Amino acid sequence: MAASSNSSLSGSSVSSDAEEYQPPIWKSYLYQLQQEAPRPKRIICPREVENRPKYYGREFHGIISREQADELLGGVEGAYILRESQRQPGCYTLALRFGNQTLNYRLFHDGKHFVGEKRFESIHDLVTDGLITLYIETKAAEYISKMTTNPIYEHIGYATLLREKVSRRLSRSKNESRKANVTNEEHTPVEKISSLVRRAALTHNDNHFNYEKTHNFKVHTFRGPHWCEYCANFMWGLIAQGVRCSDCGLNVHKQCSKHVPNDCQPDLKRIKKVYCCDLTTLVKAHNTQRPMVVDICIREIEARGLKSEGLYRVSGFTEHIEDVKMAFDRDGEKADISANIYPDINIITGALKLYFRDLPIPLITYDTYSKFIEAAKISNPDERLEAVHEVLLLLPPAHYETLRYLMIHLKKVTKNEKDNLMNAENLGIVFGPTLMRPPEDSTLTTLHDMRYQKLIVQILIENEDVLF
């Protein structure tokens, strides 16, 4: 399909920031079909219907047969009525005229109207969206089935042209002193660059840590016309036209989302907090090797706490630990956790442990949990060590790197055992349930596995130089 030459259509699908540089790559065929789709025509009942549900209007005709409904629609494309089933009183049907036939859909209401997955505020919107979908899927079934065969996502021609421009803006945003030199041509904020352009720029940024990350797609309703950033085709319908990655903002068709590579580059402005955020998402958003909270806490602990008795075993005040958490969520890497603010080092160790406990996917991931437990059960020490090493390699890169760094730190803690009284076994007791949790939320499983969790962390600490 030839690219659309209509700049107003293509411009509405991306941020205005990129519009002046954007070649006409957005494909207009499906947009044109949506414009051609039949419009809904409500057939009003001339009489007052008793027991009409309060959420239906005059399009409700009461208990009538399919044949009567068909006759009322009069063969008019897009005409619709609502009726109550003769065979199942209390059940309601949408009768809709499309493609020279009457289609009947079971109609539901739970505060919103629906016949399938999508939920609508009004019957009119439901019918409008339904007619668009029926029309496009009837007229362009073959076209839709081939939409993903030649995606713009793989080569992104226009984004390649913008790469130098975007990289310059991204670097300028980190250097406040250069803002005074911005010309009128380049004054638009970086945040308005489309997610597709942003991805291209970051992909070619040598400083960006290349951890693989899946996109976090969620069904999204787009206001105004939008085009898929994978296949460049229009996203049709009134609501829930596609999905948006809540981490990087990529907008694609639901069917296209299955083909998008695991190359999400999270946008920092979409990441609302540090704690309770997916680890890989956080490090990619901040462009760091490890979560900044891990680096900052460990740096502080090693600077003034390695000899503290009961390090990591002794708890700090919960309120103060929550203060540290809020400081990181609010200020990020600028959070002040120095001795001037928090003289008790146990507050910092508590904040670090809380970070790991709050991870939605534990540092030792759910996918690898059972494999680590099985490795811990091996009686032969050499075979057990080899098995642990093999499972370590299955961890996502950001998890592996963070675990490696933490074990190096905990090894330093054990080297000060004479003062802090913390050896690898003691640290294993503390960190076992903190770093690994069973996939199923079972207290019985957790209790049964505790000794193996402790053993795994103990092995990782004692053998960090061999295993990582």
Side-chain angles (χ1 to χ4, degrees), residues 385 411 458-468:
L385 197 64
K411 188 69 168 283
Q458 183 179 340
I459 290 169
L460 293 175
I461 296 171
E462 292 173 343
N463 302 278
E464 59 82 16
D465 54 336
V466 176
L467 289 170
F468 294 95

Side-chain angles (χ1 to χ4, degrees), residues 273-340:
K273 53 191 175 182
V274 171
Y275 280 67
C276 302
C277 176
D278 173 69
L279 190 149
T280 303
T281 299
L282 187 71
V283 297
K284 285 183 77 73
H286 286 271
N287 195 20
T288 56
Q289 263 188 300
R290 297 171 296 274
M292 106 279 279
V293 62
V294 175
D295 281 9
I296 293 171
C297 285
I298 286 178
R299 193 159 56 237
E300 192 68 26
I301 293 162
E302 292 185 354
R304 61 183 172 99
L306 286 178
K307 296 183 184 297
S308 177
E309 185 176 328
L311 189 68
Y312 285 112
R313 181 178 55 79
V314 177
S315 299
F317 285 114
T318 303
E319 287 182 11
H320 294 166
I321 291 170
E322 285 293 327
D323 286 344
V324 173
K325 173 182 175 178
M326 285 191 290
F328 276 114
D329 283 341
R330 182 182 64 246
D331 304 326
E333 61 188 14
K334 295 179 181 178
D336 185 357
I337 61 169
S338 65
N340 295 332

Side-chain angles (χ1 to χ4, degrees), residues 37-146:
R39 298 290 184 262
K41 301 174 183 65
R42 185 172 71 145
I43 305 301
I44 294 174
C45 184
R47 57 187 173 81
E48 189 63 40
V49 180
E50 289 186 16
N51 301 320
R52 183 181 71 197
K54 61 182 179 181
Y55 40 82
Y56 294 145
R58 296 291 300 278
E59 70 275 8
F60 182 73
H61 287 249
I63 299 177
I64 60 173
S65 67
R66 287 193 173 205
E67 293 73 24
Q68 288 173 303
D70 193 38
E71 187 177 334
L72 285 168
L73 294 174
V76 178
E77 198 77 343
Y80 72 94
I81 65 166
L82 307 184
R83 65 183 179 86
E84 187 173 356
S85 172
Q86 283 184 320
R87 285 175 290 185
Q88 293 178 290
C91 294
Y92 303 101
T93 299
L94 165 68
L96 172 66
R97 192 73 187 174
F98 177 82
N100 297 318
Q101 60 180 320
T102 299
L103 307 174
N104 290 276
Y105 297 93
R106 179 80 177 273
L107 191 59
F108 301 91
H109 183 269
D110 62 356
K112 292 190 176 182
H113 304 279
F114 62 100
V115 296
E117 290 182 0
K118 292 185 179 184
R119 283 165 162 71
F120 299 84
E121 295 290 347
S122 70
I123 292 293
H124 183 270
D125 285 351
L126 184 153
V127 175
T128 302
D129 186 86
L131 287 168
I132 289 169
T133 301
L134 286 167
Y135 188 77
I136 288 178
E137 291 182 354
T138 300
K139 292 282 186 178
E142 186 178 357
Y143 181 90
I144 291 170
S145 69
K146 295 178 180 178

Side-chain angles (χ1 to χ4, degrees), residues 18-38:
E19 193 175 46
E20 59 185 302
Y21 312 106
Q22 176 200 324
I25 64 162
W26 306 111
K27 302 169 185 175
S28 64
Y29 177 52
L30 298 180
Y31 177 83
Q32 291 165 357
L33 286 183
Q34 174 159 315
Q35 299 301 100
E36 297 169 5

